[in-house]
Every structure is written in C-alpha cells, then in structure tokens.
Amino acid sequence: MPTDPILKPVGDSVFVVWKDRAVFDFSRFSERGDALSAEVAVTNNASAELHWARVNLASTQGRGALIRALEDAEPVGDWRPLVDVACRMVARHVRTGEPAVALEPAAPTTETRWAVDGWIPAGQITVLFGDGGAGKSYLALSLALSGLLDRAITPRWRMGPLTRVLYLDWESDRQEQAARLWRLTAGLGSAPVDGAILHRTMRRPLRDEIAAVRGEVARQGVDFVICDSLAPASGPEPEHADAALSALLALRSLAVTVLCVAHVSKQQADAKAPARPYGSVHIQNLARSTIEARGDEAGDGDDVTVSLYHRKANQGRKQPPAAVRFSFDPDGAVRVSNGQPDTGGASLAFQLLDALKNGPRESAALAEELDCTPNTLRSALGRLEKRGMVLRLGESGSGRGKQSQWALIDRKRGEKRVNGEQPDALSEGPDDPVPF
C-alpha cells in the first residue's frame, strides 16, 4: 500500500493524495445523525477520473461499493486500504474543525489593515449602497483595477495591492462587465494581466453556490471579491433577517476582502436624509464598513460624480465625504478623477461645520439652509459645542426674535473664526480630513 497520504483542504473540498497512485476529492459534505456523507471523485495518476459517487464515509457498505467500482475501473493493486484510510482521515478532519488555542494578552498591533485607507478594511465585508445608476459597479471595478495595477484612481481612493479579483454578478453578464472594464482600462491607459479579474455569473442565492465559490477563491488565490448585488444574493425575500444573514455569513466565510454592492429603498432614494442598505438591519450590523453612494450627472451627462458618505466604521473613525468623477469620452473610454462631494448628503454635523467656514451665522439661517428643525439644529450645535468645534457668540434681535450666533473654532490655533476670516481649520480641499 502507498504510504503517507497527504490531506489538503481547498475551499469546501478536502483532497487526499496518494503519491503515484490516486487523488480522492471529497466535497459537498452532509452530516445527519451518525452519518457523514460526501461526494467522492477519484482520479488516477494520469488525471483520469475513475469514479464519482456520494458515499457514507462511515458505512462499510458504502465504502465497499466505492472499492468495487475502482477495482472495475482500474484493476491495479488493492483499493481497499486507500479508500478506508482516506475516508477515515477526511471524517476526522471534518469533525474536528478548528482546534481551540490559548488566548493570551497581547499588545495591539500598530499596523492598520486597510484595503482602502480609512474606508474599506482588509479581510472584512464592506457594503457600498445607493440607488440604481449611482455608479457603484463602475466604482467597484475601478477599485479592483487600482489594486491590480498598484495605482490610485484618485488621491483618496487607492486599493492595496491585489493578486486576483472575483466578480460575483447577479445583475449583468460577462459581456457587459467586459465592456465596462474596457472603458476603464482605456481611460487609465493600462490593463491588468489576463486572468487577474474573474467573472462568475450567478443565478441562484449565494447560500446555494457558496461551496463552489469558496473553492474558486482558494484555488485561484483570490484576495478581493465583489458581490453585485446583495438583494439577489440573499434570495427571493432579501428583507428577511435569515436571508441577509445567510448571504453575509457566506461572504464572511471567504476570509478575504469583500465589497458588497447593495441598493436602497425607493423612499430612501428620494430622501435627503442618510440612507441604509435595503433589507434587514443585519446588513448594517454585520458589515464592518458601509458607504452610501449618490450619483449626480453634470452637464449633458458625459460626467457622473459619485458622492460617497461613510455611514458606518467599525475600525477607526468615519471618513468625511468624498467623491469620484467618471468622465465618458466620445471614443468610449472612461476617465476616473477626483470629484467635489455634495455635502447635502453628509451628516448634519459635517454640514454645519461646512456652513460656518465663511463666518458666523444665526441659528435661524442655518436651520433654513440645512432644511432641519430648530430643535434638531440646537441638538447638533450643542454636541459640537461640547466637543470644542463651534462657539456661541451671543444673541441678536430682541424678545422672541432673538437668534443665537455661532462660529467655527480653529482647533489648530485655538481661535474662533469671525468676520469671515479663513484660517485652515476644516479643510483645504475635498481630500483633507475633517476633525471629528
């Protein structure tokens, strides 16, 4: 009998390799009661498939049927010890799972693991959501190209180095994505090596295909997965908690950086207030970062500016609004550049700081400009005042018409902004951080 078989997990499959004899591929495991079964495909040393069947690994009868089939296909040597040992090794591996390890105090690492600095954590799930036509798919492909080409698409948006990308596509097809990719690479003037971006057309909920996807990720060395989009990936009732949970947990099991594209409800798409991804609240809870995208066509539609708002951040603080502009050239190329974000979709705190950049303002004027109630404005200003970011200068008018005046504090110089002075406190441009 050949000695020293090698067991190697790949995705959801487990391979047992008998050198110079055969390879056993165990996949699609199912355990009910005392029975552990798997689909077993056996190939010989010449990579010819000898037999494939579902086998109860602990059943003498089931293993016997497999042995007889292999003896008929290739009557060379004794198959029984190979089959028995392989089934035993795989059953032990599947039932043991991850071993418990000692948990000991360790100083936190100073290295921050980001795929996109401050926005997309590496090895975690980020949800990019917005209304249809907001430019989410173009942005996702642009980020993939940024990592594969090791170049920034804008000063703020640079993906960490990538080896291979897998695009899970429920919404379009390979031809449409290939055309988008051609447009972007034509605009960038360079393209990744062939095979760096893999496209997989998806027609069933993710839970039904996750085993095959995990195998693809493992075999191909994929380090970035784009899921487009979350609603069809969740199944026929994406608003239900179990649908969202099954899809997000399946994506988490890939153990790579995942950018999940999602939509918003019609009501939220038409509203000015910050939105949430369509579906269960678990989407917001399980994602480590969520980014709202709002598209705005300029001029004759040749340019689309996608404003991006950081709605949730589990690692670090939320980033100030950013924007990416896609310019569609007559020759079909798409150029990507930095854009000016629409602050109307930002948080009220950010809008207040932005409105006070040009000098002191009365509370009534601020409430009218920002389209919020006096009570909401008063609460937001109170929070900013406690954090030392704004200052109440006094009141104007008389009687019930009195209005508080507010100014922005220059935190770098310890001074308030008055008389329209413009010290560099908030930002000097769309890519500078906001101090909160």
Side-chain angles (χ1 to χ4, degrees):
M1 180 184 76
T3 58
D4 299 328
I6 300 172
L7 183 145
K8 183 177 182 179
V10 179
D12 281 10
S13 297
V14 181
F15 290 83
V16 177
V17 181
W18 296 91
K19 191 176 180 181
D20 301 327
R21 182 65 188 278
V23 176
F24 289 72
D25 177 2
F26 295 79
S27 62
R28 293 192 170 274
F29 293 93
S30 175
E31 188 163 15
R32 295 180 181 178
D34 295 332
L36 174 63
S37 66
E39 291 183 9
V40 184
V42 184
T43 57
N44 62 14
N45 195 40
S47 300
E49 186 174 285
L50 302 178
H51 190 63
W52 170 79
R54 175 163 284 278
V55 178
N56 184 347
L57 305 187
S59 167
T60 301
Q61 182 178 359
R63 295 197 308 274
L66 176 59
I67 292 167
R68 289 190 295 274
L70 293 174
E71 289 174 343
D72 292 341
E74 191 172 274
V76 178
D78 188 0
W79 284 101
R80 181 175 297 278
L82 278 69
V83 171
D84 287 346
V85 172
C87 290
R88 176 68 172 163
M89 290 176 66
V90 171
R92 185 184 298 116
H93 170 81
V94 171
R95 286 173 169 161
T96 299
E98 289 290 331
V101 296
L103 181 64
E104 300 175 352
T109 177
T110 57
E111 180 183 0
T112 303
R113 297 187 63 245
W114 293 104
V116 174
D117 190 30
W119 290 83
I120 301 178
Q124 303 289 341
I125 297 175
T126 295
V127 175
L128 172 68
F129 66 97
D131 197 12
K136 303 182 295 297
S137 297
Y138 267 110
L139 178 59
L141 270 179
S142 298
L143 292 174
L145 289 172
S146 173
L148 293 171
L149 298 174
D150 194 21
R151 58 184 288 187
I153 58 173
T154 74
R156 179 176 292 184
W157 290 88
R158 185 189 187 104
M159 193 82 177
L162 297 174
T163 302
R164 184 161 283 124
V165 176
L166 176 60
Y167 202 114
L168 303 178
D169 197 346
W170 279 267
E171 295 204 356
S172 57
D173 54 29
R174 185 174 61 85
Q175 288 73 24
E176 183 176 348
Q177 295 296 356
R180 287 176 177 170
L181 186 61
W182 179 87
R183 291 175 181 274
L184 289 169
T185 54
L188 290 169
S190 60
V193 298
D194 291 344
I197 300 180
L198 305 174
H199 180 272
R200 184 184 177 100
T201 300
M202 307 291 287
R203 294 186 173 88
R204 298 187 296 166
L206 182 59
R207 62 174 175 267
D208 296 334
E209 297 197 40
I210 188 59
V213 171
R214 273 195 292 261
E216 196 94 58
V217 168
R219 286 190 300 272
Q220 301 286 353
V222 171
D223 46 8
F224 182 46
V225 171
I226 299 170
C227 170
D228 190 0
S229 64
L230 185 56
S234 301
E237 297 180 323
E239 69 278 5
H240 288 187
D242 56 347
L245 282 171
S246 67
L248 289 169
L249 291 175
L251 290 171
R252 187 183 179 195
S253 72
L254 299 177
V256 298
T257 304
V258 175
L259 181 64
C260 195
V261 177
H263 295 281
V264 296
S265 66
K266 184 180 184 305
Q267 180 181 5
Q268 290 195 325
D270 296 337
K272 294 182 179 180
R276 285 194 172 196
Y278 174 75
S280 167
V281 68
H282 290 295
I283 299 172
Q284 183 82 1
N285 294 340
L286 290 182
R288 300 298 85 189
S289 176
T290 63
I291 303 167
E292 183 180 1
R294 296 189 181 186
D296 177 35
E297 293 189 4
D300 56 3
D302 290 338
D303 288 350
V304 175
T305 298
V306 183
S307 294
L308 301 162
Y309 309 99
H310 209 180
R311 300 306 189 197
K312 177 189 175 181
N314 272 77
Q315 299 182 13
R317 66 183 185 180
K318 288 188 285 188
Q319 299 298 306
V324 177
R325 185 171 62 190
F326 297 97
S327 300
F328 294 79
D329 291 346
D331 61 0
V334 174
R335 291 177 291 105
V336 187
S337 60
N338 193 45
Q340 181 67 37
D342 178 8
T343 58
S347 66
L348 181 57
F350 185 93
Q351 293 184 62
L352 280 168
L353 294 174
D354 192 54
L356 292 172
K357 284 193 301 183
N358 296 320
R361 302 284 297 279
E362 290 186 351
S363 54
L366 288 171
E368 182 178 358
E369 178 182 337
L370 303 180
D371 192 22
C372 63
T373 65
N375 288 338
T376 301
L377 180 77
R378 192 178 302 113
S379 298
L381 286 169
R383 289 192 295 269
L384 291 173
E385 185 180 25
K386 289 180 180 178
R387 297 165 68 179
M389 305 185 76
V390 298
L391 178 71
R392 188 200 303 261
L393 297 179
E395 295 181 338
S396 61
S398 60
R400 291 188 176 182
K402 286 185 177 180
Q403 294 291 331
S404 298
Q405 278 202 334
W406 296 86
L408 186 69
I409 294 178
D410 184 346
R411 300 180 74 186
K412 293 181 180 179
R413 302 181 183 177
E415 302 171 340
K416 60 180 178 291
R417 293 187 183 186
V418 295
N419 300 325
E421 295 178 359
Q422 292 292 308
D424 302 330
L426 180 60
S427 67
E428 295 179 337
D431 281 324
D432 293 329
V434 176
F436 63 91

